[in-house]
Amino acid sequence: MCTLKVVAAGPLSTVQDRGRPGLAALGVGQSGAADRPSHRLANRLVGNDEDAAVIEVTFGGLELRAEGGVYVALTGAPCPMVVRAPDEQPRTFAAYSAVWVPDGATLSLGVPSSGLRSYLAVRGGIAVPEVLQSRSTDMMAGIGPDPLAAGMRLPVGAPAGNLPETDLAPVCPPEAADIVLRVVDGPRADWFTEDALDALVGDSYKVTTDSNRVGMRLSGPELTRSRTDELSSEGMVCGALQVPPTGQPTLFLADHPVTGGYPVVAVVLSADIPKAAQARPGQRIRFVRVATPGGDLDD
């Protein structure tokens, strides 16, 4: 079996697949890749099942050594990708294509040119043991494998299909400018003043550095409440915009809690959550209110 030895993990690298759907009633969140389309694409480029486990890399910095030759593919935030094989000159490769990494070579990722999270798939998938039918790391619940650290070895599974003949996947990289996210009114929108509801979609919010896989804390117009009642804990979904007493909303992401006690003013459509997952601290987000008969929510 091939393995990948972690030489450097960067700011945060974790193993992720599609997570643990359907267990919220047991208190287990879905977790999984924050940018799911990029996770699926990375797997397709190396001929894996779309649900195979990959490495989610936050803001580059990952370096691996291949113990056995492997094909890999990088999607999501496009990092400079350099392969250094023994007795060969270093070679730089682009994202969104399959790349051969010879036995003994190192693969290193630089800082992405846009976006925040990159997805590195290896042909055969990352074969760490499953926990509750998933190999994902849930940072909030502490379920699944530990975040990557120097010295760890990641087992690689056996390839399950043919390697696709795709030179380059034609996808757009994540937005480097302001990001627009569509929202529907949340279950507690009526707990906020009309001015607050107008402010949510009338101005932009900055992504703060106090953000992670659990949630993205935002800074912008204060959302004032029309009611000051205590709210009993209720179920939360990925994309919920929860508003604590500071009036500054938090956008729940992949590792969000399954319940919360602050009112949810709005919910980001599931189709736009991958864009939110690629927002960097300092980027600005503008919300647009839409109507979605029947809903378009995850979880």
Side-chain angles (χ1 to χ4, degrees):
M1 173 182 287
C2 296
T3 59
L4 296 172
K5 182 178 180 181
V6 180
V7 178
L12 177 66
S13 297
T14 59
V15 177
Q16 298 293 340
D17 55 18
R18 66 190 295 269
R20 303 175 179 86
L23 300 179
L26 303 177
V28 178
Q30 179 164 347
S31 189
D35 177 354
R36 294 176 188 170
S38 293
H39 160 253
R40 291 196 297 269
L41 176 60
N43 276 320
R44 289 202 300 271
L45 285 170
V46 291
N48 288 346
D49 184 280
E50 287 189 349
D51 296 335
V54 308
I55 302 174
E56 181 182 275
V57 185
T58 303
F59 213 57
L62 177 69
E63 184 173 353
L64 302 170
R65 178 173 293 110
E67 298 176 333
V70 292
Y71 276 100
V72 301
L74 185 77
T75 62
C79 300
M81 183 165 49
V82 179
V83 174
R84 295 177 175 83
D87 303 322
E88 293 184 12
Q89 291 293 317
R91 294 192 297 166
T92 301
F93 294 91
Y96 314 128
S97 63
V99 172
W100 174 249
V101 182
D103 181 22
T106 60
L107 169 70
S108 58
L109 304 181
V111 175
S113 55
S114 65
L116 182 64
R117 295 181 170 94
S118 309
Y119 293 85
L120 185 75
V122 56
R123 182 164 165 76
I126 302 297
V128 296
E130 290 186 348
V131 179
L132 296 178
Q133 301 179 342
S134 170
R135 297 182 167 92
S136 284
T137 301
D138 184 331
M139 297 293 292
M140 182 171 186
I143 301 174
D146 292 335
L148 271 56
M152 290 176 65
R153 282 184 165 82
L154 301 174
V156 177
N162 296 325
L163 185 66
E165 297 179 358
T166 303
D167 291 333
L168 186 68
V171 297
C172 293
E175 294 280 353
D178 292 358
I179 295 173
V180 176
L181 300 177
R182 296 169 294 172
V183 297
V184 294
D185 285 347
R188 302 299 174 186
D190 60 346
W191 282 45
F192 293 85
T193 65
E194 286 297 324
D195 286 346
L197 297 176
D198 290 341
L200 178 66
V201 296
D203 206 336
S204 62
Y205 285 81
K206 186 173 74 174
V207 180
T208 73
T209 56
D210 193 12
S211 300
N212 52 32
R213 282 179 47 86
V214 176
M216 177 196 301
R217 287 187 168 83
L218 301 171
S219 175
E222 181 178 351
L223 303 179
T224 53
R225 286 169 52 169
S226 58
R227 296 175 55 173
T228 57
D229 311 33
E230 289 293 329
L231 180 67
S232 299
S233 291
E234 54 189 6
M236 292 289 149
V237 297
C238 192
L241 272 167
Q242 192 188 62
V243 184
T246 62
Q248 300 296 302
T250 296
L251 172 55
F252 281 157
L253 296 177
D255 289 355
H256 68 87
V258 295
T259 61
Y262 296 132
V264 172
V265 66
V267 180
V268 175
L269 300 193
S270 61
D272 287 359
I273 290 174
K275 290 198 296 184
Q278 293 292 358
R280 294 181 176 188
Q283 269 188 289
R284 300 199 73 86
I285 287 177
R286 186 164 60 86
F287 296 107
V288 177
R289 182 180 289 114
V290 297
T292 57
D296 187 17
L297 303 177
D298 234 335
D299 297 50

